Amino acid sequence: MNTYRSLISAIVVLVVLGSASAAEPEGRSDRNNRQGHRNNQSSRGGRGGQGGGRQSNQSQGDQFVKRQIGLITNTPQAWPGYTLFAPKHNLLTYLIDNEGQIFNTWTSSYEPGQSVYLLENDHLLHCCLVKGVGSIGGGEGGRLEEYDWNGNLIWEYWCTDNNKMMHHDIEPLPNGNFLAMIVERKTYDECMAAGFPPNTLRDDYLAPEYIAEIKRVGKNEAEIVWQWHVWDHLIQDNDPQKPNYGNPADHPEKISVEVNGRNAPAFWNHMNSIYYNADLDQIMLSVRGCGELWIIDHSTTTEEAKGYTGGRSGKGGGLLYRWGNPSAYGRGTARDQMLFQQHDAQWVPKGCPGEGNILIFNNGLNRTSSVEERQARGGRLQGGRNRGESYSSIDEIVPPVDSKGNYTLVKGKAFGPEKLKWTYTAPNKTDLYAEAISGCQRLPNGNTLICDGTAGVFFEVTPEGKKTWEYVNPVDGKKPLEQGDPIAIDERGHPMNAVFKIHRYPLDYAAFKGKDMTSQGKIPGSKPENVPENLSRGRRSGGGQRNQGGNTGRQQGQPYLDGGNLRQQGQGGQRERGQRGQQGQRGPDGGNRNARPAEASVSEFTVSSPVVKNGGSLPADFTGDGSGVSMPVSWSGVPTGTKSLALSLWHKAPDQEKSYWVVYNIPPQVNSLPKDVQNIGTVGYNDQNRAQYKPMMSKGGGVKEYNITVFALSAEPTFTTNKVMRADLLKAIEGITLAQNTLTYTYERPKTENTQDGGKQI
């Protein structure tokens, strides 16, 4: 049976979803492993032991899955309540009961970015994804909305500009304020001053986190009343001349500049959840980039949070507790790691079995061994770092804390525990594997609610692992699906019914008192009314509000977070512009030159890159001989009247023109795409029928020439196909091209020792 299952899975992976994109929505791990994980995830049948039968299909080159949607299982052992969820690619938020009946919906103009919460006063907090306005490499937000029970927008808050972005998750507080995770921009020079080794930065800037407590003011303003910054607590052992020099192993309360154990991407810490413990007045953070959870003291003042005195703990803003990866602070090795790009770390709430313990959705990306192997060896893996099968687990630990919130740490040792209190994996482990998003919740009856986020599957299990309830999100990026409809696959290889996380509220929750809790039917086949334009897809107009407490709403035309004043490559720190590209007379990616107005001459519209000058040689990192991530591209001189931008990366081979990268619907205010870009514009299909960046690996010896053409368009292009390739783009932009320019560069593949010129390349 196991052999048969493996054979079927392999066939599905190779035949059905071989063209799934390898772009990573959150975080950046080894690219080859990401590709394998994602293909497995997107094509496997029966996730998490789920019923309903999941089937993958292919039609006219489009990828999708077919499976039963809506309610799969509901048993008397399931904990009764109402489950709140927001489909990741949709504008509606749903509240359903255990039978899958709708009891309320809320409609936004934005997709979730990423969490939603129902408050006791019956208001909904909806985090919004503001696409194209800011990019951190995954989990973007930028805006928060508050709706009343009837769906009226009563408050909104913008937090995104070229220096910061709110993202992923928030936490409502008992005093009516809320906590938010925000990244802030640090320049290359600031990173060098903080002791980061120059060769460890993957980008020319860093976006570390800060935590803010935000108070609502008026209808669209807010005030930041408390802050805690990662940047205030850095330690490094590279340069004794810098003030933060020290041994990270001697200071577990501090954060090493090399905490990730690898080169640091711009989205360095990559926090993805935040929880608050009112009894302890402490905050728990899931820090995916470091493979850790952190706990900090919220009882400090903002000034005390910068140092190491004050607050209930007497330790100021230093980390009170950290767990999951002792090597991050020099008290362990990779063999001791327990968390693998986890999500949704939280305290088990009062009234639930395990109260005060910590529950985590352990995604398992690059997991080094099974939990059982670690448990058998006291939590450690012997014999080095082995990469086992990909699977996710929900893990529960008992933190070493007393009633006053003090955490025990033995001198020279890592924070405990070494063993898990409880864990859940699918009966066939690899049937539950979500390499991104996802969440969990301990329920009052002792069961655990689980969100397999990338598959859009929710289920509840007993402490013994028996499934009592299961539901498959029946909503994709366009509408509620009918039973039997295919579920499309997005450019990252995830089904379009993905959900960031879910939450179940008790039947007697305060928000429901006095409400007409009459069922509105089930979701499959329902037809929502008055659905607005989706502003998460780069069509937002106007600017933001300037808010109190340091928040500036994004104004029209501001650069996004990854496109600000990057440290420039080349002599004198200046961005080098390609003279050949400025002439604008190159090649077939021309569109209609007659559409170009006089004020938008091609000499004003320029295309460049911080990693290669015009006519220069591209670093191998952006090719199939390196990590294969997309290269950074910038442009300037966008003509007046530009409504959209598009990009094409192409190569003229002797027998054909090859297409490596197509991006369209880029918002006009965006002036660059960062390295390994995510979630900006719409990615079209390359000549391998994959909606992703295709690393250059041309056959044969010698130097090859490649071109990136950027188009400024007077309107968003329209297409007659859902599978947009380069030829479709060039046809669609005829008559709407205001300006264009091309950056041309070369690349020569390395040879093996046994290869002569013109021979087989590596």
Side-chain angles (χ1 to χ4, degrees):
M1 176 63 77
N2 290 336
T3 301
Y4 177 77
R5 186 197 307 273
S6 300
L7 177 61
I8 293 299
S9 296
I11 292 173
V12 170
V13 169
L14 293 173
V15 177
V16 179
L17 289 179
S19 61
S21 167
E24 172 67 21
E26 297 187 26
R28 294 165 171 80
S29 303
D30 178 80
R31 196 172 188 83
N32 293 328
N33 287 315
R34 285 204 315 249
Q35 177 86 30
H37 295 333
R38 185 165 291 108
N39 286 342
N40 288 338
Q41 163 188 304
S42 299
S43 55
R44 218 169 28 242
R47 296 283 301 274
Q50 296 134 353
R54 177 172 174 174
Q55 177 184 356
S56 298
N57 289 279
Q58 187 171 19
S59 174
Q60 299 178 348
D62 295 330
Q63 288 74 48
F64 59 86
V65 294
K66 274 192 173 182
R67 63 156 304 152
Q68 184 178 340
I69 56 175
L71 184 66
I72 307 298
T73 302
N74 183 30
T75 72
Q77 290 74 41
W79 187 69
Y82 296 100
T83 301
L84 184 76
F85 69 97
K88 191 168 169 58
H89 300 290
N90 202 273
L91 303 180
L92 272 69
T93 299
Y94 293 88
L95 184 72
I96 63 171
D97 69 358
N98 285 7
E99 291 290 337
Q101 296 285 338
I102 305 170
F103 283 82
N104 204 9
T105 61
W106 295 262
T107 304
S108 171
S109 293
Y110 296 87
E111 297 171 14
Q114 303 285 311
S115 300
V116 291
Y117 292 96
L118 184 61
L119 305 179
E120 290 186 351
N121 66 356
D122 76 27
H123 289 186
L124 179 84
L125 288 179
H126 180 272
C127 298
C128 303
L129 169 61
V130 186
K131 258 184 189 174
V133 178
S135 177
I136 53 177
E140 286 83 3
R143 171 181 166 89
L144 179 63
E145 299 173 331
E146 183 174 358
Y147 292 89
D148 66 17
W149 180 262
N150 297 317
N152 300 306
L153 180 64
I154 61 175
W155 180 77
E156 57 185 321
Y157 173 71
W158 290 92
C159 185
T160 179
D161 59 28
N162 61 316
N163 290 313
K164 64 181 176 296
M165 172 175 276
M166 180 169 59
H167 63 94
H168 276 94
D169 197 14
I170 60 168
E171 172 74 331
L173 295 176
N175 64 2
N177 298 342
F178 63 92
L179 295 169
M181 303 180 297
I182 306 171
V183 292
E184 56 182 342
R185 184 187 185 83
K186 297 295 180 182
T187 65
Y188 178 86
D189 289 341
E190 288 176 299
C191 294
M192 294 303 99
F196 284 84
N199 61 350
T200 62
L201 293 185
R202 288 180 52 180
D203 302 282
D204 286 332
Y205 70 102
L206 211 59
E209 306 274 358
Y210 72 95
I211 307 303
E213 179 179 346
I214 300 174
K215 178 182 179 181
R216 300 171 185 79
V217 177
K219 184 175 176 58
N220 56 10
E221 295 184 344
E223 177 184 0
I224 294 179
V225 298
W226 180 85
Q227 298 181 56
W228 175 90
H229 293 251
V230 164
W231 206 253
D232 291 329
H233 300 284
L234 300 182
I235 187 170
Q236 52 85 25
D237 57 2
N238 302 306
D239 188 346
Q241 303 305 314
K242 292 184 169 67
N244 61 345
Y245 179 77
N247 182 357
D250 294 336
H251 295 279
E253 76 280 5
K254 297 184 178 183
I255 300 155
S256 170
V257 298
E258 298 176 85
V259 66
N260 289 19
R262 54 188 168 86
N263 288 350
F267 193 18
W268 178 42
N269 309 124
H270 198 145
M271 294 182 183
N272 54 36
S273 73
I274 181 168
Y275 274 80
Y276 177 70
N277 187 314
D279 291 336
L280 302 178
D281 203 3
Q282 294 176 359
I283 298 168
M284 184 185 301
L285 304 164
S286 170
V287 191
R288 171 178 175 169
C290 309
E292 291 189 286
L293 63 87
W294 296 346
I295 293 178
I296 60 174
D297 192 343
H298 176 254
S299 69
T300 64
T301 65
T302 294
E303 192 62 31
E304 289 172 336
K306 298 177 183 178
Y308 300 95
T309 60
R312 283 176 55 173
S313 67
K315 298 180 180 180
L319 301 187
L320 303 180
Y321 178 68
R322 59 196 307 176
W323 189 83
N325 185 14
S327 65
Y329 53 104
R331 295 198 179 185
T333 69
R335 296 180 301 173
D336 303 301
Q337 187 171 346
M338 297 288 280
L339 293 180
F340 301 92
Q341 306 209 30
Q342 76 290 338
H343 286 70
D344 210 18
Q346 60 197 267
W347 281 283
V348 174
K350 284 184 176 181
C352 296
E355 174 183 327
N357 292 348
I358 294 174
L359 195 66
I360 313 133
F361 190 101
N362 196 355
N363 294 74
L365 185 60
N366 294 337
R367 187 188 294 265
T368 57
S369 71
S370 70
V371 171
E372 288 80 6
E373 288 172 329
R374 290 175 179 276
Q375 296 266 33
R377 299 184 177 101
R380 293 180 173 82
L381 172 65
Q382 296 176 345
R385 188 178 179 87
N386 299 322
R387 195 176 303 281
E389 290 183 301
S390 299
Y391 67 93
S392 299
S393 59
I394 293 77
D395 297 338
E396 181 182 355
I397 65 170
V398 180
V401 63
D402 63 22
S403 60
K404 296 182 178 180
N406 300 309
Y407 295 84
T408 301
L409 177 61
V410 178
K411 185 176 181 180
K413 301 290 186 180
F415 278 108
E418 291 187 345
K419 294 185 178 181
L420 303 177
K421 172 70 173 179
W422 176 85
T423 188
Y424 171 82
T425 58
N428 177 28
K429 283 186 180 180
T430 57
D431 282 349
L432 174 59
Y433 176 57
E435 42 72 271
I437 58 178
S438 308
C440 52
Q441 178 189 352
R442 178 59 49 81
L443 301 172
N445 66 349
N447 291 351
T448 300
L449 184 66
I450 299 168
C451 173
D452 178 358
T454 54
V457 177
F458 322 145
F459 60 103
E460 178 184 337
V461 298
T462 66
E464 296 74 33
K466 179 182 178 182
K467 189 172 295 183
T468 64
W469 181 81
E470 183 177 2
Y471 186 88
V472 178
N473 171 31
V475 182
D476 69 3
K478 297 180 180 179
K479 65 184 189 320
L481 301 170
E482 300 272 5
Q483 201 67 252
D485 283 350
I487 304 171
I489 301 294
D490 69 14
E491 69 276 6
R492 298 154 301 183
H494 297 165
M496 288 288 286
N497 69 331
V499 176
F500 181 66
K501 65 179 180 179
I502 64 176
H503 194 85
R504 185 172 294 171
Y505 297 90
L507 297 175
D508 60 354
Y509 188 57
F512 308 140
K513 292 181 179 178
K515 301 296 186 300
D516 179 9
M517 300 300 285
T518 301
S519 167
Q520 302 171 21
K522 296 187 176 182
I523 298 176
S526 62
K527 301 185 184 304
E529 299 179 352
N530 303 317
V531 178
E533 178 187 17
N534 187 334
L535 298 183
S536 287
R537 295 179 180 171
R539 292 189 287 272
R540 176 183 157 233
S541 60
Q545 299 291 327
R546 180 173 296 276
N547 298 316
Q548 299 181 20
N551 175 66
T552 302
R554 188 187 182 281
Q555 303 300 319
Q556 185 73 18
Q558 284 182 335
Y560 65 108
L561 186 66
D562 285 353
N565 299 318
L566 303 184
R567 179 181 71 95
Q568 305 305 323
Q569 306 276 334
Q571 294 181 350
Q574 298 299 312
R575 187 185 303 275
E576 304 213 36
R577 292 176 176 170
Q579 298 301 318
R580 187 175 183 182
Q582 290 180 29
Q583 295 171 8
Q585 301 301 316
R586 289 197 52 81
D589 282 13
N592 187 342
R593 288 181 172 85
N594 296 328
R596 199 180 293 127
E599 69 271 21
S601 64
V602 72
S603 62
E604 297 173 353
F605 185 54
T606 60
V607 180
S608 60
S609 173
V611 299
V612 62
K613 65 181 181 179
N614 197 69
S617 178
L618 184 70
D621 189 38
F622 305 100
T623 74
D625 298 316
S627 64
V629 297
S630 63
M631 60 184 288
V633 186
S634 303
W635 51 89
S636 61
V638 176
T640 303
T642 297
K643 303 296 184 185
S644 183
L645 294 141
L647 175 149
S648 170
L649 169 56
W650 54 283
H651 161 62
K652 188 172 179 60
D655 57 341
Q656 62 180 313
E657 288 175 354
K658 293 188 174 183
S659 174
Y660 294 87
W661 194 22
V662 174
V663 187
Y664 55 94
N665 288 345
I666 301 172
Q669 63 267 29
V670 172
N671 58 16
S672 63
L673 300 182
K675 175 182 176 181
D676 201 10
V677 62
Q678 312 289 332
N679 296 330
I680 299 178
T682 303
V683 180
Y685 285 74
N686 58 39
D687 59 12
Q688 289 187 338
N689 287 321
R690 297 186 181 185
Q692 66 182 57
Y693 175 85
K694 171 188 171 185
M696 289 147 281
M697 291 184 65
S698 296
K699 296 180 180 179
V703 176
K704 302 295 190 302
E705 187 177 87
Y706 302 90
N707 310 276
I708 288 186
T709 302
V710 180
F711 308 92
L713 308 175
S714 61
E716 289 190 349
T718 57
F719 304 97
T720 58
T721 177
N722 291 327
K723 183 182 176 183
V724 176
M725 304 187 77
R726 175 170 168 259
D728 303 305
L729 175 66
L730 297 183
K731 181 178 180 180
I733 64 176
E734 291 180 358
I736 62 171
T737 302
L738 298 176
Q740 65 183 63
N741 217 313
T742 299
L743 170 68
T744 300
Y745 54 87
T746 62
Y747 180 67
E748 181 177 11
R749 298 193 66 201
K751 303 180 181 67
T752 63
E753 293 181 0
N754 298 324
T755 303
Q756 298 180 355
D757 291 346
K760 184 179 178 181
Q761 304 288 312
I762 310 175

